[in-house]
């Protein structure tokens, strides 16, 4: 009794003060083993992708079974609601029974669930002839609060930094993308980052095919069970069970929340049995939407009840948006990689590598054409070339007339639709070697290598007429007509004119066009400004 009391006191002190590491946990195991006599003490706890076993100093970390065996022990503890006894033969766990009534078993396991995970256990191995000693069960019961506190400290020690790193990676689609050229492997990294960061046991990314109207489970997050036969069964069931929540989320473009997935009458009976089989209590589906395009769904499942308060739903929606951005980035990468000609042109224009991160950083998210940063880099390169070769260089600045009227009458989504359509018209108006970029809110900048001021003015007028003649369709079978004004300017090789000076001259010409009533093109020679 004295040994047990001393063990309780020492473990309680270690739980508060000892270093929260695996070695600290091993010292806790040494203390318990010393109090119980000739036994081996092990702790099991869930890490990001697997179970980790930590034994006392004398026993080491080999429990005698693998990850699947540990999971089966944990499941038996949960199903029976009490400590269990069992044997291990040929690395397989068997002969489960409640520990208080068991005979002929060499192992005893008890759960140590903490807030971050329900999976932690203490396992004691000994040679017990008459069954599991009551003093062992009593001691483990009294030690449980201290052990839970220590494990909580240990697992939380690195969790915060790990989650921050994962969410940063998820928020930066270029970084996620360049981590792997294999789409499925990269998607699994995204799913695993979401699962670990948000503390969900199962996370799936499902891709939606608009043509076939079918949803395909592409990946499930990396889990501690993925090397077991259970994982294959889960994946097969996930793909075969009618997935009403996912289809409803895609149809409505809204989250579908199920706090009690096992008994939700909206779900097909096979789906409810599936959740019961997995021991999943709560599930949610969020649509993955990028620029009004439905890419698929983000599915989340929890072994613990979730009430999905408003704040959590808002946060999960932001995560779904980040996941959609990462997925779209991968699709953009594949599209670029499939086009050798596009990659070659991009390399020529930038005189640099075709790294997708570089590309994404210089692409306008709304319209898909280059952004201001890219345009300024191109102007630097083209001015240097014009100075070397003496060839002309001009730019055209175009601005939408009356976009505010469209926003006020039809909404800001209609304004975005107009800009997307104008970006397409601008891109198709360019010659080989020309560059167009979205320079500001409703401003487009054309960089015309080899063009003089007259060429640039004609180009601006062609683009203006092209826009004027083409109605722009909006949702709801409505279309609008918009007009643009354009200002042209030419780089002067004989001056110290830089990109900002050339842009200012084109902007002055654009102002002249606006002052003349809009829907026209103006060109200003070097040295002139509009007051």
């Amino acid at each position: 009794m004295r040994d047990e009391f001393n063990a309780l006191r020492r473990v309680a002190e270690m739980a508060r003060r000892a270093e929260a590491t695996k070695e600290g946990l091993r010292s806790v195991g040494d203390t318990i083993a010393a109090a119980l006599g000739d036994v081996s003490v092990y702790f099991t706890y869930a890490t990001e992708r697997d179970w980790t076993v930590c034994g006392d100093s004398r026993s080491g970390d080999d429990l005698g079974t693998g990850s699947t065996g540990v999971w089966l022990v944990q499941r038996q503890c949960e199903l029976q609601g009490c400590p269990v006894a069992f044997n291990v033969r040929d690395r397989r766990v068997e002969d489960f029974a409640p520990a208080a009534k068991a005979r002929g078993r060499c192992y005893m396991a008890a759960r140590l669930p903490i807030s971050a995970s329900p999976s932690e256990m203490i396992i004691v191995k000994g040679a017990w002839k008459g069954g599991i000693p009551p003093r062992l069960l009593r001691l483990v019961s009294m030690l449980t609060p201290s052990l839970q506190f220590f494990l909580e400290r240990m697992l939380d020690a690195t969790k915060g930094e790990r989650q921050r790193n994962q969410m940063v990676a998820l928020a930066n689609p270029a970084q996620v993308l360049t981590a792997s050229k294999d789409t499925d492997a990269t998607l699994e990294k995204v799913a695993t980052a979401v699962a670990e960061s948000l503390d969900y046991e199962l996370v799936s990314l499902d891709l939606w095919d608009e043509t076939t109207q079918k949803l395909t489970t592409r990946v499930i997050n990396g889990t501690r069970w993925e090397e077991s036969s259970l994982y294959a069964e889960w994946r097969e069931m996930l793909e075969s069970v009618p997935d009403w929540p996912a289809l409803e989320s895609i149809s409505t473009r809204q989250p579908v929340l199920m706090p009690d997935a096992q008994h939700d009458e909206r779900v097909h009976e096979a789906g409810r049995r599936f959740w019961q089989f997995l021991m999943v209590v709560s599930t949610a589906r969020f649509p993955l939407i990028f620029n009004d395009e439905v890419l698929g769904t983000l599915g989340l499942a929890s072994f613990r009840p979730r009430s999905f308060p408003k704040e959590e739903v808002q946060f999960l929606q932001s995560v779904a948006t980040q996941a959609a951005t990462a997925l779209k980035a991968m699709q953009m990468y594949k599209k670029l990689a499939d086009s050798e000609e596009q990659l070659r042109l991009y390399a020529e224009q930038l005189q640099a590598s075709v790294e997708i991160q570089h590309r994404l950083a210089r692409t306008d998210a709304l319209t898909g054409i280059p952004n201001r940063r890219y345009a300024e880099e191109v102007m630097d390169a083209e001015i240097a070339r014009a100075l070397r070769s003496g060839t002309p260089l001009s730019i055209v600045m175009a601005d939408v007339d009356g976009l505010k009227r469209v926003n006020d009458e039809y909404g800001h989504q209609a304004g975005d639709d107009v800009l997307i359509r104008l970006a397409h018209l601008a891109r198709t108006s360019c010659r080989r070697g020309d560059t167009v970029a979205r320079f500001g809110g409703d401003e487009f900048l054309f960089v015309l290598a080899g063009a003089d001021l007259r060429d640039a003015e004609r180009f601006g007028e062609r683009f203006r007429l092209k826009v004027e003649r083409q109605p722009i369709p909006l949702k709801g079978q409505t279309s609008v007509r918009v007009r643009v004004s354009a200002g042209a300017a030419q780089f002067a090789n004989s001056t110290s004119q830089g990109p900002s000076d050339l842009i200012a001259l084109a902007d002055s010409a654009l102002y002249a066009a606006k002052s003349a009533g809009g829907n026209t093109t103006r060109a200003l020679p070097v040295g002139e400004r509009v007051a």
Side-chain angles (χ1 to χ4, degrees), residues 505-521:
L505 187 61
D507 203 43
S508 188
L510 175 61
Y511 179 76
K514 289 281 190 181
S515 299
N519 194 29
T520 188
T521 302

Side-chain angles (χ1 to χ4, degrees), residues 379 395 489 491 495-507 529:
M379 287 187 66
I395 66 170
F491 173 70
T495 70
S496 58
Q497 190 181 39
S500 60
D501 301 306
L502 186 56
I503 290 172
L505 187 61
D507 203 43
R529 289 288 189 275

Side-chain angles (χ1 to χ4, degrees), residues 11-47:
V11 170
E13 184 70 15
M14 295 171 76
R16 289 187 299 112
R17 300 184 181 278
E19 187 176 358
T21 62
K22 186 175 181 180
E23 288 308 311
L25 186 61
R26 196 182 307 282
S27 296
V28 172
D30 291 341
T31 300
I32 298 173
L36 292 173
D38 189 20
V39 299
S40 297
V41 177
Y42 302 91
F43 297 98
T44 66
Y45 52 92
T47 53

Side-chain angles (χ1 to χ4, degrees), residues 68-80:
T68 302
V70 174
W71 177 78
L72 290 172
V73 174
Q74 192 273 341
R75 189 181 185 197
Q76 285 295 319
C77 286
E78 183 175 8
L79 291 176
Q80 299 199 31

Side-chain angles (χ1 to χ4, degrees), residues 155-460:
L155 296 181
D156 280 350
T158 58
K159 181 179 179 181
E161 182 178 357
R162 184 173 67 249
Q163 289 183 348
R164 283 193 297 273
N165 292 339
Q166 289 169 332
M167 292 308 289
V168 167
L170 182 60
N172 185 345
Q175 182 176 338
V176 173
L177 175 62
T178 54
S180 172
K181 293 183 180 180
D182 182 271
T183 302
D184 282 0
T186 307
L187 286 174
E188 183 178 324
K189 289 180 182 295
V190 173
T192 302
V194 172
E196 175 66 16
S197 300
L198 303 182
D199 197 21
Y200 278 84
E201 283 74 23
L202 292 174
V203 172
S204 65
L205 283 169
D206 313 284
L207 302 190
W208 175 248
D209 189 322
E210 184 66 33
T211 303
T212 62
Q213 295 285 292
K214 288 185 178 180
L215 190 72
T216 303
T217 300
R218 190 63 175 269
V219 298
I220 305 175
N221 60 295
T223 73
R224 67 182 67 91
W225 307 289
E226 63 184 314
E227 300 300 327
S228 70
S229 60
L230 281 174
Y231 183 79
E233 292 179 28
W234 291 354
R235 182 163 190 128
E236 182 179 348
M237 291 180 68
L238 196 61
E239 293 176 348
S240 62
V241 170
D243 198 343
W244 173 86
L247 296 176
E248 179 73 6
S249 179
I250 289 174
S251 174
T252 62
R253 299 191 171 207
Q254 296 295 323
V256 175
L257 311 173
M258 292 186 291
D260 185 6
Q262 296 183 8
H263 303 94
D264 197 310
E265 294 297 329
R266 298 173 296 175
V267 181
H268 190 280
E269 181 181 356
R272 297 198 298 273
R273 287 200 305 268
F274 173 52
W275 295 130
Q276 291 167 4
F277 172 78
L278 293 186
M279 297 187 294
V280 165
V281 177
S282 302
T283 67
R285 285 282 185 172
F286 288 80
L288 300 177
I289 301 175
F290 182 87
N291 272 3
D292 206 39
E293 177 187 0
V294 178
L295 305 177
T297 64
L298 172 69
L300 305 108
S302 174
F303 292 164
R304 296 175 298 284
R306 302 265 186 164
S307 61
F308 298 111
K310 180 180 178 181
E311 295 77 10
E312 182 178 354
V313 172
Q314 290 176 340
F315 182 63
L316 290 172
Q317 284 179 311
S318 70
V319 171
T321 299
Q322 293 170 331
T325 304
L327 179 57
K328 188 64 178 179
M330 281 180 272
Q331 293 177 346
M332 290 174 64
Y333 173 82
K334 188 176 186 305
K335 185 176 181 180
L336 289 173
D338 289 343
S339 174
E340 183 178 348
E341 179 66 10
Q342 283 182 322
L343 291 176
R344 188 183 67 80
L345 286 174
Y346 180 57
E348 289 179 357
Q349 292 168 352
L350 294 186
Q351 299 177 357
S353 69
V354 292
E355 292 181 5
I356 190 65
Q357 186 169 358
H358 185 83
R359 171 80 174 193
L360 290 175
R362 289 157 177 78
T363 300
D364 178 60
L366 175 65
T367 63
I369 66 174
N371 59 18
R372 178 172 183 160
R373 177 180 177 182
Y374 180 91
E376 290 173 342
E377 290 178 352
V378 170
M379 287 187 66
D380 282 335
E382 293 297 344
I383 285 176
R385 184 159 63 179
L387 288 171
R388 288 195 307 269
S389 63
T391 55
L393 169 66
S394 297
I395 66 170
V396 172
M397 184 77 79
D399 181 271
V400 184
D401 296 334
L403 185 62
K404 184 177 184 302
R405 176 186 60 80
V406 176
N407 286 330
D408 292 343
E409 187 172 349
Y410 299 101
H412 287 280
Q413 181 59 55
D416 288 348
D417 291 342
V418 168
L419 291 174
I420 291 170
R421 181 59 182 167
L422 288 180
H424 172 73
L425 294 176
R427 184 161 42 198
T428 56
S429 297
C430 290
R431 310 164 303 167
R432 183 185 180 92
D434 292 342
T435 298
V436 62
R438 184 184 176 195
F439 199 72
D442 56 356
E443 289 183 329
F444 294 88
L445 176 68
F446 298 87
V447 182
L448 310 175
D452 60 19
L453 186 61
R454 186 184 179 100
D455 295 330
E457 185 176 10
R458 284 197 295 261
F459 177 92

Side-chain angles (χ1 to χ4, degrees), residues 132-150:
I132 306 298
R135 64 186 290 263
L136 168 60
L137 297 174
R138 183 174 61 250
L139 179 61
V140 168
S141 176
M142 290 188 292
L143 285 170
T144 293
S146 295
L147 296 176
Q148 288 174 315
F149 184 75
F150 186 92

